[in-house]
Amino acid sequence: LGFVPRGRQRTPKLDKLTKEIQLNMKNSAPGPTFEQDREAVRVRLQDIVTRCNSFPSGTELHVFGSSKNGFGAPNSDLDMCLAVPEGSDIGDPAQVMGRLAEDLEREGMLEVSARLTARIPIVMFTDGLTKIECDISLQNPLAVHNTGLLATYAGCDVRVREIAYAVKRWVKAREINSPSDGTLSSYGYVLMLIHYLQRTPGSPVVPNLQSIAASWSGEPSKVYEGEREAKLRYVQHPTEPNSRVNCYYYKPKGEKERGRLKDLSMRNRESSGNLLAGFFHYYGFEFDFRKHVVSLSPQMLEKDLMGEVHCWPCHLGLTIQDPFETFYNVGHVVKLWQFHRIRREFARAYTVLTEGGGLDMLCEKPEEV
Ligand code: ATP
Ligand code: MG
């Protein structure tokens, strides 16, 4: 790159960038009926699932991902999963999902296809009425919980969403947001962003929602054990039948509690432009990927540390700890050569922004190689 930054820069150019970031969110974020419209699709599909009888009665269809996490766009796909009542036997998951695919086709869904042998079997299709691209997976409760967690982070401060929309536009434009090509999912990038926003210089932009007690009185990082224990929510581990995952996080109740979270964020007064540049600098030049794990945990986790991550492969690439499934590396799909590309993209992004390039230049299509 030929550019070595001497610490992070703060320039008037970044004020202009802040305005661009705000405008970008205004143009990318969906309208006020977005969640309601998608809920209507879910209700229709739930009705199909119930009527067709391929699943035990009481099976529920849940929405997760960008339709509900605060980072969606009008053209985002609609991710859903089926929750079968605990204790009921559905037989062979591949077979039952195959039947679901047939049911959906019969009921007017378009371009139905399925990946039945995946770790979590999935049926993909286009809704016949709204033409929204949908997919339904089986038993994926953690996805519903991590969607709620991200939505709560999104609600902490408007800058979280502003920066996330800019990052999502950047990763798509620079072609580093495709797990099937060995790059990282949007979920992974949002986790990287939250990790950074929890560590911004001065005051964090977002607290750690998993270590705020349910009976929070204002200051984060003090877990009131008694209350917290009472509020722990455990979910069946996706691959280990005898193990359960703690999915607790602080969910503000009502305007007053939401206001408290916002006040906390406001202790950090950096502009979105500065924060975005800081995010790129952090992963482009500061973060030690060989040594550290990107994690929402209050401590900086070391890859080779004995403890929570001791059994993870100590490879050279990107390690992102899932906030709930703490032994799972969200970055495991990222190929090493793609990881090096991603790192170079972070460094390039910082250079572009601090040289006044703005969002359009940041999101230019990469040159063909
Ligand atoms: P987009 O608008 O790009 O579709 P999205 O917010 O829906 O973004 P995705 O990356 O599609 O984000 O993730 C949706 C959900 O899928 C997440 O909430 C998460 O549960 C799950 N997910 C995505 N990537 C991974 C991963 N690498 N490992 C585990 N779960 C993942
Ligand atoms: Mg999605």
Side-chain angles (χ1 to χ4, degrees):
L1 279 167
F3 175 82
V4 182
R6 266 175 272 118
R8 277 190 44 214
Q9 300 183 3
R10 188 183 300 213
T11 74
K13 291 166 200 152
L14 296 179
D15 293 338
K16 193 171 151 245
L17 175 67
T18 298
K19 292 204 177 73
E20 287 182 0
I21 290 171
Q22 288 163 344
L23 185 67
N24 176 62
M25 180 165 98
K26 218 170 135 206
N27 294 336
S28 323
T33 62
F34 177 70
E35 285 199 16
Q36 240 168 291
D37 297 345
R38 284 172 178 237
E39 174 60 11
V41 179
R42 187 203 66 81
V43 168
R44 260 192 297 117
L45 293 166
Q46 169 78 67
D47 181 56
I48 296 175
V49 170
T50 310
R51 266 190 299 112
C52 291
N53 259 332
S54 296
F55 293 87
S57 80
T59 297
E60 290 177 355
L61 189 62
H62 298 287
V63 173
F64 66 95
S66 54
S67 300
K68 244 188 158 154
N69 64 13
F71 309 115
N75 60 354
S76 295
D77 57 352
L78 174 54
D79 300 306
M80 287 162 287
C81 63
L82 286 162
V84 177
E86 212 163 318
S88 47
D89 183 16
I90 55 160
D92 177 13
Q95 237 173 41
V96 78
M97 289 300 274
R99 277 208 300 280
L100 173 69
E102 287 163 15
D103 296 340
L104 290 168
E105 196 148 37
R106 211 176 36 250
E107 295 280 336
M109 300 301 144
L110 310 170
E111 293 159 39
V112 181
S113 64
R115 274 206 310 267
L116 299 177
T117 51
R119 177 175 99 128
I120 294 177
I122 185 164
V123 177
M124 292 149 296
F125 56 96
T126 303
D127 174 38
L129 208 61
T130 60
K131 307 290 184 283
I132 294 175
E133 277 179 39
C134 302
D135 53 53
I136 298 182
S137 48
L138 183 61
Q139 303 285 50
N140 198 1
L142 287 174
V144 178
H145 287 288
N146 68 43
T147 296
L149 177 70
L150 297 195
T152 311
Y153 277 115
C156 285
D157 190 285
V158 69
R159 291 169 296 176
V160 179
R161 292 185 67 221
E162 286 173 358
I163 301 164
Y165 276 101
V167 169
K168 280 183 82 167
R169 180 173 154 198
W170 165 69
V171 294
K172 285 181 203 308
R174 301 298 296 176
E175 299 169 4
I176 49 171
N177 180 212
S178 172
S180 54
D181 298 327
T183 58
L184 188 63
S185 64
S186 301
Y187 178 58
Y189 285 108
V190 173
L191 292 177
M192 289 177 83
L193 174 62
I194 293 168
H195 166 98
Y196 167 70
L197 293 176
Q198 287 175 332
R199 288 162 177 79
T200 37
S203 193
V205 177
V206 294
N208 186 301
L209 292 171
Q210 289 166 280
S211 52
I212 293 181
S215 63
W216 183 43
S217 58
E219 285 295 319
S221 81
K222 289 195 190 99
V223 179
Y224 176 50
E225 286 298 338
E227 184 78 26
R228 184 173 172 191
E229 289 302 317
K231 297 280 175 186
L232 286 180
R233 279 180 297 136
Y234 289 95
V235 159
Q236 185 74 52
H237 192 281
T239 50
E240 291 164 37
N242 296 324
S243 138
R244 290 174 96 69
V245 180
N246 175 7
C247 289
Y248 171 83
Y249 61 92
Y250 174 74
K251 270 194 212 163
K253 291 169 275 312
E255 271 317 300
K256 199 169 154 206
E257 290 200 9
R258 267 192 287 279
R260 255 198 241 147
L261 272 185
K262 287 202 166 102
D263 289 346
L264 203 63
S265 296
M266 286 310 291
R267 290 185 196 169
N268 179 306
R269 316 220 34 117
E270 292 276 14
S271 66
S272 293
N274 239 308
L275 290 169
L276 181 65
F279 169 71
F280 289 137
H281 189 270
Y282 183 74
Y283 289 112
F285 303 101
E286 294 171 54
F287 191 83
D288 188 347
F289 287 95
R290 282 180 181 230
K291 201 166 158 201
H292 288 136
V293 174
V294 177
S295 161
L296 305 192
S297 134
Q299 311 83 18
M300 187 67 100
L301 296 184
E302 298 206 358
K303 278 190 185 176
D304 56 355
L305 198 76
M306 292 305 286
E308 271 199 313
V309 294
H310 70 276
C311 68
W312 289 9
C314 254
H315 55 64
L316 302 171
L318 177 61
T319 310
I320 304 175
Q321 184 189 42
D322 187 84
F324 297 129
E325 208 187 333
T326 52
F327 282 98
Y328 179 70
N329 176 9
V330 173
H332 80 279
V333 286
V334 178
K335 295 191 180 117
L336 196 56
W337 73 273
Q338 292 284 33
F339 162 65
H340 292 309
R341 238 188 88 216
I342 291 171
R343 265 196 86 170
R344 281 199 301 275
E345 285 296 334
F346 272 96
R348 170 197 171 267
Y350 179 75
T351 310
V352 168
L353 293 190
T354 47
E355 288 181 352
L359 271 196
D360 284 342
M361 191 181 279
L362 178 76
C363 300
E364 259 173 14
K365 257 184 89 69
E367 281 166 29
E368 299 286 336
V369 271

